[in-house]
Every structure is written in structure tokens, then in C-alpha cells.
Amino acid sequence: MKNDPRSHGLWERTAPPPPVTRALDGEVTADVAVIGAGFTGLSAALHLAEDGMKVVVLEAAEIGFGGSGRNVGLVNAGLWVMPDEIPAVLGDTYGPRVLDLLGGAPRVVFDLIARHNIQCEATPVGTLHCAVGDDGLAELKERARQWQARGAPVRLLDAAETAHKVGTTAYTGSLLDERAGTVQPLAYARGLAHAAIKAGATIYTESPVVGADDDGTQWRLRTASGSVTAPWVIVATNAYTMAMWPQLRAELVHLPYFNLATRPLSDNLRRSILPERQGAWDTKEILSSFRFDQEGRFIFGSVGALRGPGLPIHRNWGRRAMAKLFPQLKDVEFETEWYGKIGMTVDNVPRFHRLGRNVVSFSGYNGRGIAPGTVFGRCLAQLVTGKIGDADLPLPLTEPQAAPLRAAKEVYYEVGAQLAHVASARF
């Protein structure tokens, strides 16, 4: 991907090939133009094409180039925010609506994967949110109580049950969410692209939008060598927004996140860690995550960027922290590494915007892009086709608001992660 082995790492090495695409060259027309070939844009394109709409997707780089091809691959339900806090943030109409939609979003993902036979290592066996210390356990107890009150299949595990499922005694407990699971994220994005093209969508890559003009009935999106004319535009660029509609970038604080992957482990080592193959992460502010891929590679990640001084710092921390959690891996080296950026909003809740006449967008997934991106993309398709209106969406219509002190916060996250990883091999 763009000739950088640290952009997509293991996922680029193991994903099935993307569909053959090319840059836009010339003038084309469509019913809907979608900007961005990640989970949201591809889901929107797939659902629109299945409804008979002529859809053109413009991707600045390659399919899954942004966060969709760099993340851990956890298909989680809900949001980072505690369930009971959502109505206070979004109100009594949108709060329950988004909780219901995102609570069932992993099922939508796994059903799409099955329906379109997407080869993406789908493993719908749940996830484990692991408690560090008494404070972490108290947080998970409350999260479990709130989800269980809504009928969600989540279960709080004690330290002994957690040790059995994770393979370490480091945690005081964990929350097992049976709705969730893991995928190979770049493979999922490429699979959505194949499905969208099969349904009739057209995808152009290496085609960044450099201009947009509205004549009152049609939008004309210009690229370096062509244009797309369409009455509707879906902007699905999220944290990787560039020149067009920069207010989307302005409301997001970039949080860097990296992953390190080992070679495939022996059968004995595989059996000793996450024997049921849930994906896992912990309750620390600078969190860690870990999971396996289908070939038995152990994937270990945390906050930080693999560049400049952060590269050796995070590599060394990864070796120390992995060995502290799982001493049996102390002599295992990492084989691949990659990192990306997460778009964070000020309240950790996504946003729905109308950026102009018939220009709509969801963004700000706060590290939970796979399931929300998939169902929000479907929502945008339903909005464009008239199946639903603004008032039926899971989030209220808002104006983009620039995040205060955005640049300072981004420096703080990157440097703070380096300092934390220098100081500790914590889990």
C-alpha cells in the first residue's frame, strides 16, 4: 500500500487481492458519488447498488487505505461511551436508537460476510475487555450491568475465568461480549469492494477529489484527470479526510495506534493464549490489544505511531509488555508492524453531517469503525434512496465543530504514548 510496509503490515501481506481498479479518466455520471473506499463508503456503495442505483466511488489512494485497512480487526458492539450515558449525550430519541443499532451491528457485519462469501478470517466468537486492577474491574462491572439491563449477551468473568480464557493471570476480570468478534480488516474492506462491484458499483482508485461544484441540481466532483456528476454525494473519508470538506478533519483529533505481529506460533503456544480466539483489549487509558490471525500469528498493539523516536520505543515496549503478559512468548520476535490514526470526537460519539445540498457524511468512529461504519454506510444508502429521512437516522444532524486544541492534543497523544512506553511494560 503506497510502498510503505508500515502502513498496513500483516493485513496487506495476508489479504486476498483487491478488485482490479484504475484512476478516473474522463467524465462520468452517476446517481450517487461516494468519496472514500473504506467500510462506510463501500457499505454505502454496496447497498445503493443493490437497490439499483448507479454508484461511483472515488478513492484517493487504494481500497481500505485509511483506518479500514490498518485497525486491529475487533468487530465490537456499541460505543466507547457507557450505554447509560448515551441518552444524556444524544437525547431520549437518538440515544436508544443508536444503542440498538450499534448493539446489533456486529451481526450485520458477519451476515454480510456470509452472504457475499467474503474471505476475511471472520471469527464471531466474542471479545474480551480485560480489567486492569480494581478500578478496571469496577468499570467493567458497571458496563456489564448497563448492557445486561438492555438484554445484551455480555457476561462479567472473574479473575480465574479470565485467566482461563486469556492465558495470563494479569487481569482482575473481563467482560465477554458474545455479540462481537474479529476479522482481517483489509480483507473485509476488499471483500465489500468486490461485492459492491458485483452489484453494479464502479470504484476508481488513485483519484483524489480536488474540487466540487454544485449547479443546484447536480454536483460535479473533479479529480486530476476526470469528473463525476451526480445529484447526491456521500463523504466517507473520516480520519483520512484531505482537501475536500476540511471541517471533517477539523472536528477530529488523531489518535495514533500501532500493531506488531509475530510469525505463526507453534501449536503449544497457540493453545496457551486465547484458546477460544476472542480478540481482547484492556481498560488502561493507554490501552493494549491482542488477538490471533487465522495462521496463528499473535498481534499485539497499543497507542502510538511507529515513526521517529516512537519506532524503537514502541517496538521495545511491545517485546517487554508481551513477555510480561505471556512469558512463554519472551523469545518470540515480531515479524511485521504497522500503524494508523483513529479519529476521535470530543465526546467519543460519531457525527452525522449535511455538508451541503445532498452531501451527507458520518464520521468520528473513535476506534470502532468496522461495525459502525458498516451500518452507518447502510443508513446513508437508505437516506439517499428515500427509505428513511433525517429524522429516522441513528444520530442527530449537527454542524461540524472544530475540536479545541486539536493540534496540541495530537502531539500529547503521540508523545504521551512514547513516554508511557519508555517508563513501563505495563499491560
Side-chain angles (χ1 to χ4, degrees), residues 314-334:
H314 299 315
R315 276 178 180 165
N316 291 333
W317 170 86
R319 295 188 191 99
R320 298 194 318 268
M322 184 175 71
K324 188 172 182 179
L325 276 175
F326 305 106
Q328 64 270 46
L329 300 184
K330 65 181 177 64
D331 295 324
V332 175
E333 295 293 325
F334 293 117

Side-chain angles (χ1 to χ4, degrees), residues 76-83 85-86 89-90 94-95 98-99 102-103 129 143 147 177 179 281 345 347-351 364-368 372 376 394-395:
N76 280 316
L79 298 166
W80 278 112
V81 183
M82 285 281 194
E85 296 175 15
I86 296 298
V89 176
L90 295 177
Y94 290 103
V98 78
L99 283 170
L102 296 186
H129 194 178
R143 192 176 291 274
W147 273 121
D177 190 336
R179 300 169 293 181
W281 77 103
T345 58
D347 56 7
N348 296 320
V349 173
R351 301 286 191 267
Y365 294 141
N366 298 280
R368 294 202 169 189
F376 286 156
L395 291 171

Side-chain angles (χ1 to χ4, degrees), residues 129-254:
H129 194 178
C130 300
V132 178
D134 293 340
D135 288 346
L137 185 59
E139 174 193 332
L140 294 187
K141 284 181 178 178
E142 182 58 20
R143 192 176 291 274
R145 183 193 69 78
Q146 293 182 23
W147 273 121
Q148 288 168 353
R150 291 169 168 80
V154 302
R155 185 158 54 95
L156 188 71
L157 309 182
D158 63 21
E161 292 174 298
T162 299
H164 175 73
K165 287 192 179 292
V166 178
T168 178
T169 59
Y171 300 115
T172 51
S174 62
L175 184 64
L176 172 63
D177 190 336
E178 296 176 352
R179 300 169 293 181
T182 63
V183 295
Q184 208 274 34
L186 181 58
Y188 175 53
R190 289 178 174 179
L192 285 176
H194 278 289
I197 290 171
K198 185 176 180 181
T202 302
I203 300 175
Y204 294 103
T205 51
E206 301 293 341
S207 300
V209 177
V210 297
D213 306 301
D214 178 20
D215 69 5
T217 60
Q218 300 277 330
W219 282 92
R220 182 171 177 265
L221 304 181
R222 291 176 280 110
T223 70
S225 55
S227 69
V228 178
T229 301
W232 277 91
V233 178
I234 290 175
V235 182
T237 49
N238 195 32
Y240 287 76
T241 299
M242 296 189 293
M244 296 306 304
W245 289 284
Q247 59 267 45
L248 294 178
R249 170 67 180 96
E251 76 175 358
L252 299 178
V253 176
H254 282 172

Side-chain angles (χ1 to χ4, degrees), residues 251-319:
E251 76 175 358
L252 299 178
V253 176
H254 282 172
L255 177 73
Y257 203 88
F258 69 90
N259 285 287
L260 309 164
T262 69
R263 55 172 169 75
L265 302 182
S266 69
D267 289 343
N268 285 339
L269 288 176
R270 293 185 206 186
R271 284 193 292 266
S272 70
I273 301 168
L274 295 172
E276 298 173 8
R277 290 301 178 261
Q278 291 93 355
W281 77 103
D282 66 28
T283 58
K284 297 292 284 187
E285 182 177 2
I286 300 178
L287 62 87
S288 304
S289 61
F290 49 95
R291 55 163 296 193
F292 279 98
D293 78 344
Q294 70 176 6
E295 299 297 327
R297 298 177 181 88
F298 187 69
I299 303 161
F300 196 46
S302 186
V303 178
L306 299 180
R307 61 185 176 194
L311 179 57
I313 289 171
H314 299 315
R315 276 178 180 165
N316 291 333
W317 170 86
R319 295 188 191 99

Side-chain angles (χ1 to χ4, degrees), residues 337-402:
E337 57 191 17
W338 67 102
Y339 76 101
K341 49 199 177 190
I342 298 169
M344 307 292 293
T345 58
V346 293
D347 56 7
N348 296 320
V349 173
R351 301 286 191 267
F352 166 60
H353 299 310
R354 277 190 180 272
L355 302 169
R357 187 194 61 81
N358 286 359
V359 181
V360 289
S361 172
F362 279 109
S363 61
Y365 294 141
N366 298 280
R368 294 202 169 189
I370 299 177
T374 300
V375 294
F376 286 156
R378 183 182 65 181
C379 287
L380 291 173
Q382 292 169 334
L383 180 67
V384 169
T385 57
K387 291 182 176 180
I388 61 174
D390 284 0
D392 303 309
L393 288 167
L395 291 171
L397 173 63
T398 59
E399 291 294 322
Q401 299 289 330

